[in-house]
């Protein structure tokens, strides 16, 4: 068998489990299977609940060919048999199988066929198949052997694990995004909505005073100007937080640098960022560090009255240290806890602990605030 040595199989399995996005996992599975079993074509379909496929990934077909083929296939014929019966299919010529129902005009001609369900327990997650074995043996039978079938079964078992993990990752990320948006919505209600309510009351007061007490009406109008500016700042900051972080594409350092630049433009306070010796970190650590930095920046810019906020990320021994320091009014951490106000400290500590790190808070009335998060590695 071509390229089915232990190293090649091991590399394929590692590649599957290295990906986190479902689409990337599917593509890795298909290309690995096609490469290892020396097939001309490979595909993996993930069924939906309407008789079709939610996703269908192919290898060996160009983008132009794929567009010409048209819509995703329906669940019928041999594909349906794999999904419904959860059984492998090895055929000398799929076109001669009684279940074959044809394909679109632009579809490539398939002959020998090897298909394998991808299952997690009793749940069939998808159908993985190969067609047109390149190095077919003599005799005119199916080019795919029992050894090929056994190898594809092994790949399908690991593909099920990788696909399940990717789905869990995407679900967790969706929940995190929902939680962040909920938090921002709550802050918008508490901050912007209150300022808009104050604007309305102040405008009503100015209207009542404009004829009988012009100086007081003028003062009320000045307050309206200030309240409107504060509301605009709150909205700009909320819009910045609603934009998804580019951690996966740009990495933590570049994302924090961009965040600092945007906040520096959006707020009166100066926001600066510096990084030293930090390499790429595991995705969960980068996500936790970014969210802690975001929360600390939120507190500094909205509550501390700071004129300058400094964010730094550096390697320290075998770990990485994030520090967000401001020159604002500061607070007494013990008094904040007694009053039941946490300024997001509980959330930040939980995020640090979730990746094996710790959070240190240093502050005092009139002394500014310094939030430090330490994580291992890096």
């Amino acid at each position: 068998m071509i390229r089915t040595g232990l190293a090649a199989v091991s590399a394929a399995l590692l590649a599957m489990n290295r990906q986190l996005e479902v689409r990337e996992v599917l593509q890795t599975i298909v290309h690995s299977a096609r490469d290892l079993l020396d097939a001309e074509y490979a595909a993996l379909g993930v069924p939906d609940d309407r008789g079709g496929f939610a996703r269908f990934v192919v290898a060996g077909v160009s983008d132009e060919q794929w567009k010409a083929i048209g819509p995703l296939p329906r669940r019928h014929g041999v594909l349906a048999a794999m999904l419904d019966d959860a059984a492998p299919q090895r055929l000398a010529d799929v076109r001669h199988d009684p279940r074959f129902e044809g394909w679109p005009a632009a579809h490539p001609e398939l002959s020998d066929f090897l298909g394998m369900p991808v299952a997690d327990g009793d749940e069939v997650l998808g159908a993985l198949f190969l067609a047109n074995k390149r190095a077919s043996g003599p005799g005119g039978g199916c080019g795919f052997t029992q050894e090929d079938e056994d190898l594809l079964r092994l790949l399908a078992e690991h593909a099920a694990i990788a696909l399940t993990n990717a789905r869990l990752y995407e679900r967790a990320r969706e929940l995190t995004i929902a939680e962040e948006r909920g938090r921002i919505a709550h802050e918008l209600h508490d901050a912007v909505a209150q300022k808009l309510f104050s604007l309305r009351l102040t405008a009503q007061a100015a209207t009542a005073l404009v004829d009988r007490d012009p100086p007081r009406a003028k003062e009320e109008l000045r307050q309206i100007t200030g309240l409107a500016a504060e509301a605009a700042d709150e909205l700009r900051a909320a819009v910045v937080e609603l934009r998804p972080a580019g951690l996966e594409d740009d990495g933590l350092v570049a994302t924090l640098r961009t965040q600092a630049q945007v906040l520096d433009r959006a707020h009166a306070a100066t926001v600066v960022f510096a990084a030293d010796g930090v390499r790429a970190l595991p995705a969960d650590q980068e996500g936790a560090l970014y969210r802690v930095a975001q929360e600390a920046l939120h507190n500094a810019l909205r509550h501390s009255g700071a004129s300058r906020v400094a964010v730094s990320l550096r390697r320290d021994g075998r770990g990485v240290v994030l520090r967000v320091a401001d020159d604002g009014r500061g607070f007494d951490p013990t008094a904040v806890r007694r009053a039941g106000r946490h300024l997001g400290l509980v959330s930040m500590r939980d995020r640090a602990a979730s990746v094996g790190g710790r959070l240190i808070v240093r502050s005092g009335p009139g002394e500014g605030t310094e939030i430090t998060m330490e994580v291992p590695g890096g």
Side-chain angles (χ1 to χ4, degrees):
M1 185 178 295
I2 297 175
R3 296 190 61 194
T4 55
L6 180 60
V9 175
S10 177
L13 299 183
L14 286 173
M16 285 184 202
N17 289 282
R18 192 178 295 123
Q19 305 298 334
L20 291 176
E21 301 286 346
V22 170
R23 182 74 183 181
E24 292 175 352
V25 169
L26 295 175
Q27 290 174 335
T28 302
I29 294 168
V30 168
H31 286 283
S32 297
R34 176 176 179 248
D35 189 40
L36 283 171
L37 278 77
D38 197 36
E40 186 176 3
Y41 302 108
L44 197 164
V46 177
D48 59 21
D49 57 358
R50 299 181 300 276
F53 288 91
R55 300 173 188 256
F56 203 88
V57 179
V58 299
V61 177
S62 68
D63 292 340
E64 291 73 18
Q65 288 176 296
W66 184 243
K67 290 178 182 177
I69 290 171
L72 293 180
R74 303 295 295 172
R75 290 172 54 181
H76 58 76
V78 180
L79 292 182
M82 280 191 291
L83 293 169
D84 296 338
D85 302 335
Q89 303 288 326
R90 183 154 54 98
L91 308 171
D93 193 327
V94 68
R95 296 167 295 185
H96 297 160
D97 188 276
R99 297 165 295 185
F100 178 67
E101 298 181 16
W103 44 56
H107 197 285
E109 288 291 318
L110 308 183
S111 55
D112 46 352
F113 179 97
L114 176 60
M116 187 69 61
V118 177
D120 179 16
D122 295 332
E123 180 186 4
V124 178
L125 305 178
L128 173 63
F129 70 87
L130 306 170
N132 298 13
K133 178 83 169 180
R134 288 195 179 98
S136 297
C142 181
F144 295 105
T145 66
Q146 182 62 50
E147 188 180 359
D148 289 332
E149 185 176 323
D150 293 341
L151 178 56
L152 190 61
R153 180 178 288 105
L154 175 65
L155 291 177
E157 289 171 354
H158 284 268
I161 296 171
L163 185 55
T164 299
N165 288 340
R167 285 177 165 178
L168 290 173
Y169 168 78
E170 289 195 350
R171 179 57 178 160
R173 189 174 62 177
E174 289 171 3
L175 290 173
T176 299
I177 293 171
E179 289 171 359
E180 292 298 324
R181 290 182 180 272
R183 179 180 65 82
I184 293 169
H186 180 72
E187 290 169 359
L188 280 171
H189 179 271
D190 287 351
V192 180
Q194 289 179 16
K195 285 185 171 61
L196 292 176
F197 181 69
S198 297
L199 272 170
R200 180 182 176 186
L201 292 180
T202 308
Q204 289 174 343
T207 301
L209 292 169
V210 69
D211 292 326
R212 57 188 175 87
D213 196 341
R216 282 187 59 192
K218 190 174 182 180
E219 179 60 31
E220 296 290 336
L221 290 172
R222 276 196 293 268
Q223 290 187 34
I224 290 174
T225 301
L227 288 168
E230 290 175 10
D233 286 342
E234 297 280 357
L235 284 170
R236 278 196 297 269
V239 169
V240 167
E241 290 191 47
L242 282 169
R243 295 172 183 164
L247 290 176
E248 292 182 10
D249 296 330
D250 303 326
L252 179 62
V253 172
T255 303
L256 282 177
R257 180 177 288 114
T258 299
Q259 181 81 340
Q261 291 170 349
V262 172
L263 291 175
D264 183 59
R265 293 193 297 268
H267 291 268
T270 299
V271 182
V272 297
F273 173 74
D276 181 21
V278 177
R279 298 188 295 269
L281 297 169
D284 58 344
Q285 287 190 348
E286 290 203 344
L289 284 162
Y290 175 73
R291 292 304 182 188
V292 167
Q294 191 177 46
E295 185 69 43
L297 281 165
H298 160 81
N299 288 339
L301 293 171
R302 298 193 187 181
H303 303 305
S304 75
S307 62
R308 188 176 190 275
V309 184
V311 183
S312 66
L313 191 69
R314 63 181 177 84
R315 188 168 57 183
D316 184 10
R318 300 185 64 181
V320 170
V321 177
L322 166 73
R323 182 169 288 111
V324 181
D326 68 68
D327 61 357
R329 63 178 64 93
F331 64 95
D332 180 354
T334 59
V336 167
R337 285 195 296 270
R338 286 196 301 269
R341 297 171 58 248
H342 303 292
L343 299 177
L345 297 180
V346 172
S347 173
M348 286 190 280
R349 287 196 174 95
D350 287 345
R351 289 188 187 277
S354 71
V355 293
R358 65 171 182 154
L359 191 83
I360 303 167
V361 180
R362 297 185 179 92
S363 187
E367 299 178 3
T369 300
E370 182 180 276
I371 305 290
T372 302
M373 178 175 167
E374 301 173 351
V375 297

